Amino acid sequence: GRVRALRYRYTRTVQEVQSSQAAHRQIVEHLAQGDVDAAVMVMREHVYASLHNFERRHAERAAVAPSPA
């Protein structure tokens, strides 16, 4: 639920979608080859990139939101 909501809300550009899909393919390929360490490394990078995008978008929204009275 939450991951899907964040993905649809914060993954907006074609480049972000393509990058995410490429990471998913790499993870699957590494697992298929039995290289769990490489899969974990790619997953970690993917999650942190997603977090960075989320934080950036959240900051952009906060910057344009009206101040509470």
Side-chain angles (χ1 to χ4, degrees):
R2 289 183 185 182
V3 171
R4 179 175 290 173
L6 290 174
R7 180 178 70 212
Y8 287 114
R9 187 169 185 174
Y10 290 102
T11 305
R12 294 187 179 162
T13 68
V14 171
Q15 181 181 4
E16 289 172 350
V17 172
Q18 289 173 339
S19 176
S20 178
Q21 290 174 344
H24 291 185
R25 283 191 297 275
Q26 286 180 325
I27 292 163
V28 170
E29 289 172 10
H30 287 308
L31 291 173
Q33 296 169 0
D35 192 349
V36 175
D37 291 337
V40 168
M41 182 181 69
V42 173
M43 177 59 92
R44 185 175 291 126
E45 291 170 357
H46 174 60
V47 168
Y48 280 117
S50 297
L51 175 63
H52 174 73
N53 285 336
F54 170 80
E55 290 174 333
R56 181 173 43 87
R57 290 261 163 70
H58 182 71
E60 289 170 359
R61 284 176 178 238
V64 297
S67 299

